Amino acid sequence: MCGIVGIIGTEPVAMRLYEALKRLEYRGYDSAGIAFLEEGRFKRLRAAGKLNNLLARIQETPSQATIGIGHTRWATHGAPTEENAHPHIAGSVAIVHNGIIENFQVLKAQLEEAGVTVKSDTDTEIVAHLIDQRLKAGEAPQEAVRSVLKMLEGAFAFVIMFEGEDDLLIAARRGSPLAIGHGDGEMFLGSDAIALAPFTSRVTYLEDGDMAVVRRDRLDVFDEAGRQVVRPLSFTQASALLVDKGGHRHFMAKEIAEQPDVIGHTLAEYVNFHEGRVTLPDMPVDLSAIDRITITACGTAHYAGMVAKYWIERLARLPVEVDVASEFRYREAPLKEGGLSLVISQSGETADTLAALRYCKEKGQVVAAVVNVPESTIARESDVILRTYAGPEIGVASTKAFTCQLAVLAAFAIHLARMRGCMDADEEKRLVKTLSEVPRLVVTALKQDAHIDTVAQKIAHARDILYLGRGINYPIALEGALKLKEISYIHAEGYAAGELKHGPIALIDENVPVVVIAPRDKLFDKTVSNMQEVAARGARIVLITDEEGARAHGAEAFETIAVPAADPFVSPILYAIPVQLLAYHAAVFLGTDVDQPRNLAKSVTVE
Ligand code: F6R
């Protein structure tokens, strides 16, 4: 995740870009840069390290330019050097970018074959060259950007500036957020409204697939199909709050939508996409010598731990014990000195998880924490922090923190497997490639939003709903049921699909919808058999599967929700999306307080 800004105004732009970047520093701060147009020509200032280094450059380079773009970086492709810092320039194109271009290696090879010299290790520079080539071929900026967008795979947001075009910025988004602020004869672009808050509170949020042509006194937005569209203008509270709903009705909706971006950011911290390997912080424990891992957490974080058990046991051949922290802390579990314990927590303040952490430390374990709030007690008391970069999660129901936890844990499982000699470099590369595709796949999964809304309305009047899953997606069934009950107050339970006939099947009748989570992995046929067992007893099935699964078995279901086909390794991250949306829309339909459901608190600091 990186922060991007653009300003096309009437006052000198350099310090304004800096001010906007400062507010985006939470998105990344390993290098930064700005570019502006001075008498029609690019001028660029970049610096490795924190934004202060860039500030020094800005201060020693006075400029009256009024149009510019800026970037604060969280490295995904290439080290955090000045050379790799944005903006990237190719010919008459300067660009800032947030996200991952998955097919950049192929595009880079094509450019190099055509004689283009690529200076940085980034995926971003490739996009600048591609647009520049189109301009040289005679296309206008807007056409050039549109043609290049069609060539790109991945999840991203861009702001692009053109030499000689003093009244034009072009922006585009697919998966990563982008807001456009309206001033008086000025326009501002930023990764979020917080960046724009010093300049304006009137904001238009681009939707997925949009491209915006921005001039000082005019904004034209085009959707993915190239049709001109009008996106609503909203008034943001960002300046007062520093977090806002980003044009969404609820924080939960915003946080669900942010997932491509924050998962990408989190992965970028632990995965070197360029080299196809996982890079985790050093741990004060010999990972090849430990004989098990103990994972403790609560609620949704506990389900992330359950998914990790499947990953770690399969990939690293290491036994994993997962427990809810409130049970573990009093269980007096025997733990070997020098072993490894993992705690997982969004807030980093959950009392039971903290107590479990302290118990593990008392027993001489090394404790690693997967945690979203780096200043939290759990982060401070752990030996190693594996931070999730979900950003502030305001909705009480955890969504983006969960999928970011999964992203970290997937990387951790690969790392463990490599350290323990259970995985070769080629397999690591393959899985890293699979992980790099996740932000894009999540974008596609989110496109089912409107359909899931109609499904949610059809089942929202049920008194009880069951969720079934198998293998690595069994925890997703548990998570789906938890999400639904906590915000819609519908009674829901998750079951391992194979366990149903050992009791819960007695609950089934035509009034009990059953949500079946069935990616086409090696357990697909077995899950389908379980689905048929409940369908035969009159249950209304909501089948969540991929398109091929839907083609094969959709007819047996009351409703089908299709998730993009993907390697089974990443299916828990993808299948988390529809269950979040199902709960969200059911709750909105029923009119409950989605962001602050009754009886709950975001941070459970009492046991
Ligand atoms: C469910 C939810 C809770 C939390 C649990 C742990 O949507 O948010 O179940 O997951 O209270 O909280 P953290 O992760 O802050 O330790």
Side-chain angles (χ1 to χ4, degrees):
M1 186 162 79
C2 306
I4 60 178
V5 296
I7 298 179
I8 176 164
T10 51
E11 295 174 24
V13 79
M15 276 309 289
R16 295 175 106 189
L17 288 170
Y18 169 77
E19 200 177 335
L21 289 177
K22 195 76 199 140
R23 298 169 76 90
L24 290 176
E25 223 177 351
Y26 75 91
R27 300 176 68 87
Y29 41 78
D30 62 29
S31 55
I34 61 171
F36 41 83
L37 268 182
E38 208 149 56
E39 288 162 10
R41 305 299 304 271
F42 287 143
K43 181 133 202 178
R44 176 170 63 176
L45 306 173
R46 297 184 294 175
K50 295 243 172 165
L51 261 174
N52 276 348
N53 301 349
L54 176 67
L55 178 61
R57 301 258 161 106
I58 294 174
Q59 283 166 339
E60 65 206 23
T61 321
S63 155
Q64 292 305 308
T66 57
I67 174 171
I69 56 178
H71 188 268
T72 176
R73 180 164 188 246
W74 197 275
T76 57
H77 295 71
T81 57
E82 185 171 331
E83 185 85 315
N84 287 332
H86 300 216
H88 286 282
I89 294 180
S92 53
V93 176
I95 187 166
V96 286
H97 161 218
N98 166 34
I100 297 168
I101 310 294
E102 284 168 31
N103 58 337
F104 94 102
Q105 296 280 23
V106 179
L107 298 170
K108 184 175 181 180
Q110 287 166 0
L111 282 169
E112 285 174 340
E113 218 161 274
V116 172
T117 311
V118 179
K119 296 195 207 86
S120 71
D121 302 325
T122 65
D123 48 351
T124 312
E125 189 190 338
I126 305 303
V127 183
H129 282 292
L130 290 170
I131 298 173
D132 187 53
Q133 283 198 326
R134 296 279 169 163
L135 293 179
K136 287 194 176 119
E139 288 183 15
Q142 194 171 324
E143 275 174 83
V145 173
R146 197 192 309 286
S147 342
V148 170
L149 286 173
K150 287 190 190 131
M151 302 162 71
L152 306 180
E153 284 169 21
F156 48 75
F158 298 114
V159 182
I160 310 158
M161 182 168 68
F162 303 87
E163 215 159 46
E165 295 278 356
D166 193 47
D167 191 23
L168 176 69
L169 290 176
I170 295 185
R173 68 156 283 189
R174 201 188 288 165
S176 298
L178 204 49
I180 300 181
H182 302 252
D184 291 327
E186 304 188 290
M187 291 284 197
F188 308 90
L189 298 99
S191 296
D192 64 26
I194 300 168
L196 312 180
F199 315 114
T200 181
S201 57
R202 290 183 294 142
V203 172
T204 299
Y205 293 96
L206 291 188
E207 290 183 15
D208 227 37
D210 282 355
M211 179 177 108
V213 178
V214 187
R215 302 185 190 275
R216 282 185 177 76
D217 57 1
R218 194 185 159 100
L219 168 66
D220 293 292
V221 182
F222 302 87
D223 68 9
E224 204 154 15
R227 286 179 300 244
Q228 185 146 13
V229 284
V230 177
R231 301 295 180 213
L233 185 67
S234 43
F235 290 85
T236 165
Q237 301 282 308
S239 48
L241 290 175
L242 270 179
V243 274
D244 81 336
K245 292 185 191 151
H248 293 271
R249 192 163 158 197
H250 300 99
F251 279 109
M252 184 179 176
K254 175 185 175 232
E255 288 158 7
I256 290 174
E258 279 173 351
Q259 289 176 108
D261 195 42
V262 294
I263 294 170
H265 183 192
T266 301
L267 285 172
E269 176 64 6
Y270 301 107
V271 171
N272 183 329
F273 296 115
H274 201 64
E275 292 170 14
R277 47 187 195 90
V278 166
T279 49
L280 250 59
D282 285 340
M283 296 198 181
V285 59
D286 180 358
L287 294 176
S288 63
I290 51 176
D291 57 8
R292 71 169 181 175
I293 293 187
T294 306
I295 302 182
T296 47
C298 298
T300 289
H302 171 238
Y303 299 146
M306 286 178 70
V307 173
K309 176 180 170 75
Y310 284 86
W311 275 329
I312 294 170
E313 292 192 342
R314 236 203 74 226
L315 299 179
R317 313 305 307 153
L318 184 66
V320 177
E321 215 189 309
V322 191
D323 206 349
V324 286
S326 54
E327 285 301 312
F328 175 84
R329 63 182 291 188
Y330 295 117
R331 201 156 51 83
E332 297 179 24
L335 297 173
K336 230 198 229 169
E337 205 172 321
L340 179 66
S341 289
L342 207 66
V343 294
I344 307 170
S345 175
Q346 185 286 127
S347 62
E349 301 295 347
T350 301
D352 286 321
T353 311
L354 182 60
L357 178 162
R358 288 177 178 157
Y359 175 85
C360 294
K361 289 206 81 171
E362 246 170 55
K363 299 289 166 210
Q365 295 260 302
V366 171
V367 179
V370 177
V371 67
N372 197 42
V373 181
E375 308 79 20
S376 62
T377 315
I378 287 178
R380 285 199 312 271
E381 293 195 17
S382 301
D383 300 301
V384 182
I385 305 174
L386 299 172
R387 190 176 154 194
T388 47
Y389 292 84
E393 191 177 65
I394 310 295
V396 161
S398 188
T399 51
K400 59 176 183 169
F402 175 63
T403 46
C404 286
Q405 285 159 358
L406 294 181
V408 173
L409 292 164
F412 178 64
I414 297 172
H415 179 71
L416 263 177
R418 287 287 283 146
M419 300 302 282
R420 298 173 64 77
C422 304
M423 185 185 286
D424 62 21
D426 284 348
E427 180 62 359
E428 181 181 21
K429 219 175 221 168
R430 190 186 73 77
L431 291 179
V432 163
K433 166 121 193 352
T434 303
L435 284 176
S436 77
E437 292 163 0
V438 169
R440 170 177 55 87
L441 294 170
V442 172
V443 171
T444 312
L446 286 168
K447 289 194 173 137
Q448 291 291 310
D449 184 51
H451 172 56
I452 295 175
D453 188 2
T454 60
V455 177
Q457 294 189 27
K458 288 183 191 167
I459 62 170
H461 290 299
R463 205 188 60 183
D464 310 288
I465 299 186
L466 299 188
Y467 284 70
L468 304 185
R470 255 181 190 270
I472 201 158
N473 285 293
Y474 163 44
I476 303 304
L478 297 171
E479 170 62 1
L482 175 63
K483 221 75 315 168
L484 188 77
K485 62 188 148 195
E486 70 181 322
I487 59 169
S488 74
Y489 316 143
I490 300 170
H491 172 242
E493 296 301 336
Y495 286 103
E499 190 60 16
L500 206 67
K501 55 173 88 65
H502 300 286
I505 201 163
L507 294 171
I508 301 291
D509 65 22
E510 60 284 0
N511 298 316
V512 180
V514 179
V515 179
V516 179
I517 297 161
R520 260 177 331 103
D521 54 18
K522 60 182 193 307
L523 296 174
F524 179 66
D525 291 338
K526 295 197 186 302
T527 314
V528 166
S529 303
N530 299 134
M531 175 181 99
Q532 288 159 341
E533 285 157 16
V534 288
R537 284 156 181 87
R540 282 183 298 157
I541 307 289
V542 175
L543 174 63
I544 309 183
T545 182
D546 56 29
E547 266 160 20
E548 206 174 300
R551 265 196 298 280
H553 293 284
E556 297 157 41
F558 162 68
E559 284 290 348
T560 304
I561 298 169
V563 173
D567 190 294
F569 175 58
V570 294
S571 65
I573 310 182
L574 294 183
Y575 281 73
I577 308 299
V579 299
Q580 293 168 350
L581 288 171
L582 200 59
Y584 172 73
H585 287 299
V588 171
F589 180 66
L590 294 172
T592 57
D593 187 343
V594 172
D595 284 332
Q596 295 182 323
R598 68 186 181 207
N599 306 339
L600 293 172
K602 185 68 189 157
S603 184
V604 185
T605 53
V606 291
E607 62 169 297

